[in-house]
Amino acid sequence: MTLAGRDRGGNALTIQPTNRTFTVATPARITVVSLNVDRNVVSRGQKSIVVTMQLRNPGGASAQLTLGRLGLKFNGQNASQAGFKVTTPTSPAIITGNGTASYSFTLEAGASALTGALALEADVAGTDLLTSKPLVTQGLATPPVLTVQSAAALTVTEIRLARPTLNPGRTVQIEVAVSNSGAAGVGAGATGVQAALKFNGATTGFTISEAPDNVRTLAAAASTLLTFTVSVDFNPARLGVKTVTATLAGVDANSNAAAAIVNTATASLKVQNPVPPTLAQTGITVARSISSAAGQAATVFVDQKDFVVRLAVTNTSPTVGGVGLRGLTASLKFNPAN
């Protein structure tokens, strides 16, 4: 700015010029440089999901961010609408002109979080530090996708007994049918499906062996069959009808958290002493006739109600001119005799 003038006497004024410099800055705005999540697939209820985001301010003016509003959107919905809890960062609050800043978020997928493939977007709020006007945000052309699944959920659908009774000292095979109604799978090995059998809520006196080839990995909407061999000792206290239950355990393959468990099916097992066979003779069959010659033999089958006894019969007293054995009869006795 240049000034000129004269005083009242008509003399020219001497003016010392003063220069000021003004900078015109382009408005602050935000561009999302990157948005990354530490895993691609999670389960409802999963915690400690880490998302990192880098923002750039390509404008000349500084951008003032409202950190309490800094977050994420899921398929266009904010975190609370989508069923997520977001731990927001505390700094930096200002991104200078042509500057960048990085932020880290911790997510928790709620029990009712949206499921499916969710597009992640930066949710940014703030103002131009010079004009106080709201910031304009430019997101990624191709946002990252986070897939959310319903958590693994295990159910005992059936307990099958090879037979309904068990004698002390004997064994019975028991199969436990398990299904997974969740969209997330169940891990393998020690994190896979586990089942603990109980008899009236206890295992005292019972020996339980699990089949080594039981399949513990369980995919979404799949089922498996766990096989056990069970025996019981000779203690009279074990006798009676026992309710067989199976307590499940397993780990969600996404979150490494315990899978939801529904222990529903039960079965009944009667522990009893052996029942003596019923000796109701139903018939005798001779494999072939025995001649009158000494030493001639035949096999005799004595049919009982519960089993067949095979007897070897030999003619040791030959008869002269006879026709061998006629009208053969047999009777069986056991100890105790009956």
Side-chain angles (χ1 to χ4, degrees):
M1 179 179 293
T2 302
L3 298 177
R6 293 179 179 275
D7 61 15
R8 291 181 179 179
N11 299 315
L13 295 175
T14 301
I15 300 174
Q16 182 67 39
T18 301
N19 297 324
R20 291 289 183 92
T21 301
F22 296 91
T23 300
V24 179
T26 56
R29 64 184 191 276
I30 296 298
T31 298
V32 180
V33 178
S34 64
L35 186 59
N36 299 299
V37 63
D38 67 344
R39 64 204 72 192
N40 297 322
V41 182
V42 301
S43 295
R44 278 178 168 175
Q46 188 164 339
K47 301 178 181 180
S48 302
I49 306 163
V50 178
V51 178
T52 55
M53 179 169 62
Q54 186 178 47
L55 302 179
R56 179 172 179 268
N57 173 15
S62 295
Q64 173 77 56
L65 301 187
T66 306
L67 292 180
R69 278 281 318 279
L70 186 61
L72 299 168
K73 288 186 177 181
F74 305 82
N75 280 1
Q77 298 186 37
N78 64 37
S80 61
Q81 291 173 327
F84 286 83
K85 184 183 295 184
V86 181
T87 302
T88 56
T90 57
S91 64
I94 296 176
I95 305 178
T96 59
N98 294 312
T100 59
S102 296
Y103 301 89
S104 181
F105 304 85
T106 300
L107 301 183
E108 178 181 339
S112 59
L114 292 177
T115 56
L118 307 181
L120 296 184
E121 302 171 69
D123 188 7
V124 181
T127 58
D128 183 301
L129 200 58
L130 296 178
T131 65
S132 298
K133 290 184 177 180
L135 293 173
V136 175
T137 302
Q138 179 180 341
L140 294 171
T142 304
V145 173
L146 177 67
T147 299
V148 181
Q149 299 176 332
S150 59
L154 299 177
T155 301
V156 178
T157 56
E158 186 180 7
I159 298 179
R160 308 170 187 169
L161 278 62
R163 62 177 182 279
T165 60
L166 175 61
N167 301 144
R170 300 285 300 277
T171 62
V172 64
Q173 181 173 291
I174 298 178
E175 296 177 330
V176 179
V178 181
S179 67
N180 174 19
S181 59
V186 177
T191 64
V193 181
Q194 312 286 333
L197 291 179
K198 291 188 177 181
F199 305 86
N200 283 1
T203 58
T204 304
F206 290 86
T207 300
I208 304 168
S209 301
E210 185 172 355
D213 57 350
N214 279 345
V215 177
R216 300 189 182 281
T217 303
L218 201 53
S223 60
T224 188
L225 200 62
L226 305 178
T227 303
F228 302 84
T229 300
V230 177
S231 62
V232 66
D233 63 23
F234 288 86
N235 191 326
R238 315 288 181 244
L239 301 179
V241 177
K242 310 295 180 182
T243 298
V244 184
T245 57
T247 301
L248 294 178
V251 174
D252 185 296
N254 294 332
S255 65
N256 288 326
I261 302 297
V262 181
N263 300 309
T264 55
T266 63
S268 292
L269 176 67
K270 185 176 183 181
V271 179
Q272 61 183 21
N273 287 320
V275 178
T278 302
L279 300 179
Q281 187 169 302
T282 58
I284 298 177
T285 303
V286 181
R288 63 181 176 83
S289 62
I290 302 177
S291 71
S292 59
Q296 290 294 308
T299 300
V300 177
F301 297 93
V302 182
D303 296 328
Q304 301 294 323
K305 180 178 180 181
D306 294 326
F307 56 88
V308 176
V309 176
R310 185 174 70 176
L311 304 177
V313 179
T314 304
N315 181 6
T316 59
S317 299
T319 59
V320 178
V323 293
L325 300 179
R326 294 180 178 179
L328 179 65
T329 62
S331 63
L332 302 176
K333 290 188 177 182
F334 289 78
N335 186 15
N338 61 357

